[in-house]
Amino acid sequence: MDKTHGSTGDKQSSNTESSACCCVDACPKDLNIWCGGFCWAQELLNTVNPTRSMYPDDDQHTDTSPLAPPPAGTAYGTGEGISKRRLSPKESCILGCGCSDAYALEEGDLASLTEKDNGRRKLSWLKVAKNAIMRPIDWYFELLWRCRWFTVVIFAVFFALSVVWAPKLLSVTAIEFAAPKGTLGYDAREAFDSLFEQYGGTQTEIVYVSRNISSPDGVLSEYTENFTYALLNATKYFEMPSWVLDFQSFYTLCDIGLEPIGQGLVASDNHSCLINMVTPVDQNSTSNHFIDYIDDFIRDWPSDPEYTIQRTGQSIITADFLDLMIISDAISISIAIIVLLVMLRSLVLIVIPLVNLAITMATSFALVYLLALAMPVASYNPAIMMAVIVAMSIDYSLFLLRRYREELLNSEDTQEAKRNAVKQMLEHAGRVVLVSGSTLALTFIGLVLLKMGLMTSLGLSAAISLGCTVVVNLALTPSLLLCFPNFFSINGIFPFIASCRKKPSIPTLEEKMETQKKSFWYRIPVILTQTKTGLIALIICLIVLTPIIALVCKFTYTTDATLVFAADLPGMECLNDMMADFPPGVLYPFYFFPVNRINGSAPIFTQQYFDSSQELIRDILDVSNGRVEPTGIRGISYLAGSDVPMWYASGMMDPTNPLYYYDYAPSYRYLTATMMSSTSPPSSALFVVDVNFNPNSKETDIWIADMVDLLEGIKYNGNESSPYSWFFTNVMVDQYFAARGVFDNFPLMVGVTCAVVILLAALSFRSVLLPIRMLFTLGLTVGWVYGFAALVYCIITDTDLYWFPPLIVFSVIVGLGVDYDVFLFSRVTEYRMEGYKTDAAIRNGYYNTGSVITGAGLVMAVAFCGLLISKQKLLQQLGFFLVLAVLLDTFVIRAVVVPPLLHFCKALNWWPSPLPPADKEEFDQYDQKFSTDDLHMDDLATQPTTPSQEGDDGQPTTHKSHHKHHSSSASSS
């Protein structure tokens, strides 16, 4: 052997693993790095020849520590075929090595050492590098092991504190759709809030009283009168006596001489009447308490078979909606837990997901409650947070606990084996949870880019939920397993039955190999990793998916609120009954008002205003094409379906004019007081439009669009010579502009999300091609799901999609796709780094993860099926998107598309990361000679060399890549 150059006698050093790096993944290909204090190269030297020292002259160096660095300026010689030299500054810079005592082994030395291992184990530089890289995992595991009881106690304390704050979240939510800046809706809302403070922050709760049989008196009877005054008195005894700002009914308006206005609250056939209660829009529990208070009052009021009393209103309908969402989530949790029990086949392990769910929900809700104190949080956030937590927490629990069970079933029943099972769980499944959770949290944060307050709060709430889910699963789950190893290692779905607790015997290597050969999860990748069949599978998938993806161009959305609220909700049933007797728009009236272009504070009660408003009203009636009746418009210049002349209006306002004492004059003055702006003097005035179609319906979008075109046309706001700028607003207008604003920003969110996926995938696996392939498969999933949704909802049923689900599910689809992709690719990478050929790594990785991914997909699909069976179309659409995405990603993308793509890309899947030589087939893991690959390096020094590991000439046996050789070796062993 040439000791000067460190080459081996058989000259194999030139084509062996010479590009090794023990500390980092990327380094100059001619270096094998040893770094004092943090490297495995010295350990490798000691393993081969424990008497050897890293120093060139042992007589001159007294420190015999195997990892002690040599003195500065030491001249490095050679010995036993090993030569060393100090790293140059350039090499240290390239490697990013922060140690001052790093130096290199010359090319071929590590290969020589490998051969000196007498064939017991092929010690590649990559195994050395892998062990060095895994040190953070070792550190984290040791920390958990030392602090396991402390960790459990800390989470218990957090849970105890969180359960105090978590329920308060439900009482500080609200629904406010803010139109984006620069739109007519935004300008209208800003002007309305500043001019008409009496309307700001208020909402109307309606009690609807109807009489079931015909009577000369109709609904205006003693029963109705007694109920009206009793309800008025009851509001004064509410926890906040001043909560009801205005109480309007036929009887109370008649008491103050406003009978004409009171008649407007009675149906034309005298069959029913309304009681309006104006209350504040708040973000605390008072509104919900008031709804419960009114429900209790109506329930306790003496019933009469002739009368029906119902209640409705925006807050009432929303409260009913949220109750149903929580019920759907509860159903989903129950179903998902049952499926998880079947997958894990261990009743005791189910305790961990249940504990994780409880702690994650409590902590997330408590943190979002603190967030709600600083910014508005949507009323639907808690329900969506519950869905995200249930889906991802159970998903992550399945990944972790399945790996834990797998390690237990393949090891002896010892405490050390149980502890090692937890470590292996964290090392492999824990990485998947970390990458997946981080990606999904960042995609939810991307909702901030939609520039809408409630979407921002939803994105932050979901990200907080994901963060808590990841922390709980990666910290509490292993801590519980370490604290109670004997309890959680009990086998069986029914552990109280002795036969179920019996641990299955550890299968032999031959049995494992036969099981894999017969497995469905092995046969599928065998077919798909063949060039011809893989190409055919890809072509078939693209042929099937492409026409569906093309339907994305047919995708339309609506703000139709009937899709949000189920028709059988108590509040919606009342609203539907009301629409038979009153204009449907009475619950959501549209407010039109002007702002003087020249002098915004100029008085409004002028002939100019009367002329301009009356002209606009005629145009509204023309453009509406029957969707607004003349009697549905009221204002100071227009009443009862006709214009109010300026001289007539002035007379009813002037005490010196005889018209002031006309029968309708008090009602007109009351109306004027409510319609004029709160500025002094009044500089604007409203006129109210009640549409004769359901304001929650799809037709609202069309009518609002017509009004926007009218007001922004050249006749009004587009005409600089016009004296006024006209605006209109209500909650439906806010939602209309908000929906269009967020969809305008949706492409930006998609772009940023894709960039995040690329960055995280590239950093996690140090691969250039992986994120590109991941974006391709995610694009197939997203395109197919959105295209199929367009086919079902926009073409077949013609109901359109509510604007909210497509925005939310994008982040979820991306997160789930990354979740399963990372889980599969991590296992494939694990095998490839152990020296398996690419196809063998794909087959083994697929075999080990196929059932887990399928199980996780089924758990998610079953969990989301709770949304599909909901009576609310919004939840049905959410469930449709999510279930379809999960099933497609699980059974088509991950199962059929990804394996051929990995097969065709070969080593490019990991480029530019260095790879070890690929010379193992998939069944080499069951060969006795290579079954020690998972031993730690510090075990190698104590492993004896057996004759069976040497060839006839006494040299180490070289590993061959064909399976036939392996089988014969195994049998001879």
Side-chain angles (χ1 to χ4, degrees):
M1 180 179 294
D2 186 346
K3 296 183 179 182
T4 304
H5 296 87
S7 59
T8 61
D10 53 4
K11 298 183 180 180
Q12 292 182 357
S13 63
S14 61
N15 55 9
T16 331
E17 306 95 276
S18 60
S19 58
C21 173
C22 305
C23 305
V24 293
D25 282 324
C27 67
K29 293 187 176 181
D30 62 338
L31 293 179
N32 294 289
I33 305 304
W34 184 88
C35 181
F38 189 61
C39 184
W40 300 85
Q42 174 65 59
E43 184 176 355
L44 180 59
L45 292 173
N46 293 339
T47 299
V48 178
N49 187 350
T51 62
R52 279 275 322 283
S53 171
M54 287 291 287
Y55 305 116
D57 188 352
D58 288 340
D59 295 334
Q60 298 178 9
H61 189 75
T62 58
D63 189 350
T64 60
S65 172
L67 291 181
T74 301
Y76 303 108
T78 61
E80 298 291 326
I82 306 300
S83 59
K84 300 165 289 298
R85 61 179 175 81
R86 175 76 68 176
L87 291 180
S88 68
K90 179 179 180 181
E91 291 168 342
S92 298
C93 180
I94 293 175
L95 291 171
C97 184
C99 300
S100 60
D101 54 337
Y103 56 94
L105 304 178
E106 291 294 348
E107 180 176 345
D109 291 338
L110 196 55
S112 175
L113 293 177
T114 300
E115 292 175 355
K116 289 177 181 292
D117 193 28
N118 296 324
R120 170 63 182 169
R121 174 175 173 163
K122 192 150 187 168
L123 291 173
S124 68
W125 59 266
L126 196 60
K127 176 65 76 173
V128 176
K130 178 185 176 183
N131 286 342
I133 294 171
M134 295 312 299
R135 288 186 67 89
I137 297 295
D138 298 335
W139 175 85
Y140 180 66
F141 176 76
E142 288 300 323
L143 179 65
L144 282 180
W145 169 249
R146 296 176 183 275
C147 304
R148 58 193 184 279
W149 289 105
F150 178 74
T151 302
V152 173
V153 171
I154 286 295
F155 275 103
V157 171
F158 267 102
F159 178 74
L161 295 176
S162 299
V163 293
V164 177
W165 287 344
K168 297 181 179 180
L169 174 62
L170 301 177
S171 63
V172 295
T173 58
I175 292 184
E176 285 183 13
F177 296 105
K181 291 184 178 181
T183 62
L184 179 64
Y186 177 84
D187 296 338
R189 177 56 64 180
E190 290 290 308
F192 183 81
D193 290 342
S194 62
L195 291 173
F196 302 94
E197 295 179 356
Q198 66 270 31
Y199 290 91
T202 62
Q203 60 187 356
T204 301
E205 313 295 354
I206 298 176
V207 175
Y208 174 69
V209 182
S210 59
R211 194 165 186 177
N212 303 327
I213 62 173
S214 59
S215 173
D217 294 333
V219 74
L220 298 178
S221 62
E222 182 179 1
Y223 181 87
T224 305
E225 183 177 5
N226 292 338
F227 172 80
T228 300
Y229 286 113
L231 180 60
L232 174 61
N233 291 331
T235 60
K236 298 177 181 178
Y237 291 98
F238 180 57
E239 61 185 50
M240 291 184 63
S242 60
W243 182 252
V244 178
L245 305 177
D246 191 12
F247 188 97
Q248 298 178 351
S249 70
F250 171 80
Y251 297 102
T252 55
L253 290 172
C254 288
D255 290 343
I256 58 176
L258 303 177
E259 183 175 351
I261 296 179
Q263 284 292 343
L265 299 178
V266 181
S268 57
D269 61 357
N270 201 23
H271 168 76
S272 60
C273 67
L274 303 178
I275 300 175
N276 296 338
M277 293 175 288
V278 180
T279 63
V281 176
D282 70 327
Q283 288 191 354
N284 54 55
S285 58
T286 308
S287 181
N288 293 330
H289 290 174
F290 182 72
I291 294 173
D292 295 337
Y293 182 77
I294 295 300
D295 285 342
D296 292 339
F297 177 83
I298 295 175
R299 190 181 304 112
D300 297 339
W301 181 256
S303 61
D304 189 315
E306 295 185 7
Y307 294 88
T308 301
I309 303 175
Q310 301 168 275
R311 87 288 187 273
T312 189
Q314 181 179 350
S315 61
I316 291 175
I317 294 175
T318 302
D320 294 340
F321 164 71
L322 295 177
D323 290 342
L324 277 184
M325 285 194 72
I326 294 175
I327 292 174
S328 298
D329 286 334
I331 296 174
S332 299
I333 292 175
S334 304
I335 298 175
I337 291 296
I338 294 174
V339 176
L340 185 61
L341 174 61
V342 175
M343 293 295 300
L344 293 177
R345 297 184 177 275
S346 174
L347 185 63
V348 294
L349 283 180
I350 291 296
V351 173
I352 292 180
L354 292 177
V355 171
N356 289 352
L357 274 176
I359 294 179
T360 303
M361 283 188 182
T363 307
S364 301
F365 276 46
L367 293 176
V368 175
Y369 166 72
L370 299 178
L371 177 67
L373 300 179
M375 65 183 301
V377 172
S379 300
Y380 45 73
N381 275 22
I384 293 178
M385 288 171 59
M386 285 182 62
V388 170
I389 292 172
V390 169
M392 303 314 300
S393 184
I394 291 181
D395 210 27
Y396 294 158
S397 293
L398 181 59
F399 288 169
L400 293 169
L401 298 179
R402 273 297 293 266
R403 185 62 186 244
Y404 176 73
R405 287 277 297 168
E406 178 184 332
E407 297 294 335
L408 281 184
L409 294 176
N410 289 281
S411 61
E412 299 295 336
D413 189 13
T414 63
Q415 296 300 317
E416 182 63 27
K418 295 172 185 177
R419 192 158 54 245
N420 185 65
V422 177
K423 183 178 180 180
Q424 294 298 317
M425 176 193 74
L426 285 175
E427 179 180 337
H428 300 290
R431 178 188 184 185
V432 177
V433 171
L434 181 61
V435 174
S436 170
S438 303
T439 303
L440 187 53
L442 290 175
T443 58
F444 273 118
I445 293 177
L447 293 174
V448 174
L449 300 174
L450 297 179
K451 300 178 181 179
M452 178 182 171
L454 293 186
M455 298 300 289
T456 298
S457 70
L458 176 59
L460 295 178
S461 300
I464 290 173
S465 301
L466 259 299
C468 293
T469 302
V470 171
V471 170
V472 170
N473 275 274
L474 293 184
L476 182 60
T477 296
S479 296
L480 289 173
L481 294 174
L482 292 172
C483 288
F484 309 99
N486 294 331
F487 174 75
F488 288 116
S489 61
I490 298 176
N491 294 295
I493 297 180
F494 304 105
F496 45 83
I497 301 177
S499 59
C500 294
R501 294 197 303 269
K502 185 178 179 181
K503 179 182 177 181
S505 59
I506 300 177
T508 63
L509 296 177
E510 290 78 7
E511 290 173 341
K512 290 182 179 180
M513 183 169 64
E514 290 302 319
T515 300
Q516 178 170 340
K517 288 181 178 179
K518 297 177 181 179
S519 172
F520 173 81
W521 307 112
Y522 172 73
R523 293 179 179 179
I524 290 296
V526 167
I527 296 173
L528 295 176
T529 52
Q530 298 175 20
T531 302
K532 184 176 180 180
T533 53
L535 184 61
I536 292 174
L538 284 177
I539 293 175
I540 292 175
C541 287
L542 292 178
I543 291 175
V544 173
L545 296 178
T546 301
I548 301 297
I549 295 174
L551 294 177
V552 172
C553 61
K554 302 292 184 181
F555 181 90
T556 58
Y557 64 90
T558 180
T559 57
D560 182 358
T562 58
L563 300 174
V564 179
F565 308 116
D568 59 351
L569 288 176
M572 288 300 295
E573 287 181 343
C574 178
L575 181 61
N576 293 331
D577 292 340
M578 280 175 49
M579 290 191 295
D581 300 325
F582 297 92
V586 68
L587 184 60
Y588 299 106
F590 291 87
Y591 301 105
F592 288 75
F593 62 96
V595 173
N596 194 299
R597 287 178 181 270
I598 301 174
N599 184 4
S601 60
I604 195 65
F605 206 88
T606 62
Q607 185 65 48
Q608 188 178 44
Y609 167 77
F610 273 69
D611 293 341
S612 181
S613 60
Q614 290 167 359
E615 182 178 11
L616 176 58
I617 289 172
R618 287 191 291 270
D619 288 338
I620 290 174
L621 293 173
D622 291 340
V623 173
S624 296
N625 292 323
R627 289 171 291 183
V628 176
E629 297 293 337
T631 54
I633 302 177
R634 58 190 182 277
I636 65 175
S637 63
Y638 194 91
L639 276 175
S642 61
D643 294 341
V644 177
M646 173 64 184
W647 62 267
Y648 191 80
S650 300
M652 288 187 288
M653 299 294 293
D654 185 4
T656 63
N657 193 306
L659 292 175
Y660 185 85
Y661 304 99
Y662 185 60
D663 290 343
Y664 290 97
S667 298
Y668 181 81
R669 289 192 292 271
Y670 176 83
L671 181 67
T672 301
T674 59
M675 297 275 182
M676 301 288 278
S677 65
S678 56
T679 58
S680 181
S683 57
S684 186
L686 295 172
F687 65 83
V688 181
V689 177
D690 295 332
V691 296
N692 60 6
F693 55 85
N694 187 348
N696 289 317
S697 67
K698 180 180 178 180
E699 195 170 358
T700 303
D701 283 355
I702 302 173
W703 188 81
I704 292 176
D706 291 340
M707 293 302 104
V708 172
D709 292 340
L710 174 64
L711 295 184
E712 292 186 340
I714 194 170
K715 187 175 182 179
Y716 293 100
N717 296 352
N719 184 4
E720 295 295 335
S721 62
S722 175
Y724 298 106
S725 294
W726 282 94
F727 302 97
F728 79 121
T729 189
N730 81 343
V731 65
M732 297 301 176
V733 177
D734 292 339
Q735 185 178 199
Y736 173 87
F737 283 101
R740 276 144 185 79
V742 295
F743 271 96
D744 289 341
N745 294 316
F746 189 53
L748 174 63
M749 171 189 161
V750 172
V752 172
T753 300
C754 292
V756 169
V757 170
I758 291 175
L759 182 62
L760 287 180
L763 292 177
S764 298
F765 292 94
R766 297 181 176 90
S767 169
V768 172
L769 188 63
L770 171 64
I772 298 175
R773 178 190 59 76
M774 192 177 290
L775 285 181
F776 173 72
T777 55
L778 286 175
L780 289 179
T781 304
V782 172
W784 199 81
V785 169
Y786 278 69
F788 200 79
L791 174 65
V792 172
Y793 290 103
C794 304
I795 298 177
I796 297 178
T797 63
D798 194 28
T799 57
D800 284 345
L801 287 156
Y802 191 64
W803 66 276
F804 183 73
L807 300 171
I808 300 301
V809 299
F810 175 79
S811 297
V812 179
I813 292 174
V814 171
L816 292 178
V818 171
D819 186 17
Y820 297 155
D821 202 317
V822 168
F823 187 63
L824 172 60
F825 191 71
S826 294
R827 203 62 183 265
V828 174
T829 302
E830 185 179 335
Y831 280 102
R832 181 62 188 85
M833 294 306 180
E834 291 177 358
Y836 288 84
K837 296 180 179 180
T838 300
D839 288 348
I842 296 171
R843 294 166 186 173
N844 284 345
Y846 196 103
Y847 168 71
N848 285 280
T849 62
S851 60
V852 180
I853 291 177
T854 302
L858 289 176
V859 169
M860 299 277 280
V862 170
F864 291 136
C865 279
L867 300 174
L868 278 176
I869 63 177
S870 172
K871 297 179 180 179
Q872 297 161 278
K873 293 182 179 179
L874 167 62
L875 298 185
Q876 291 175 4
Q877 291 181 1
L878 275 172
F880 178 86
F881 271 102
L882 296 174
V883 171
L884 185 62
V886 169
L887 295 180
L888 175 69
D889 199 77
T890 302
F891 294 102
V892 178
I893 302 300
R894 282 336 121 202
V896 180
V897 176
V898 172
L901 290 177
L902 294 176
H903 164 74
F904 288 124
C905 295
K906 298 294 183 183
L908 291 177
N909 289 303
W910 296 273
W911 185 85
S913 294
L915 295 174
D919 53 3
K920 292 184 181 180
E921 298 292 350
E922 55 262 36
F923 293 115
D924 286 352
Q925 58 185 321
Y926 304 123
D927 196 318
Q928 290 279 357
K929 185 166 63 174
F930 305 103
S931 62
T932 59
D933 281 346
D934 290 330
L935 292 174
H936 294 291
M937 296 196 64
D938 51 6
D939 298 330
L940 297 176
T942 62
Q943 297 294 338
T945 302
T946 61
S948 62
Q949 293 171 312
E950 296 182 359
D952 295 336
D953 58 353
Q955 297 297 322
T957 302
T958 303
H959 174 60
K960 304 297 182 183
S961 61
H962 35 85
H963 176 62
K964 184 176 180 180
H965 169 79
H966 295 249
S967 301
S968 61
S969 299
S971 60
S972 64
S973 300

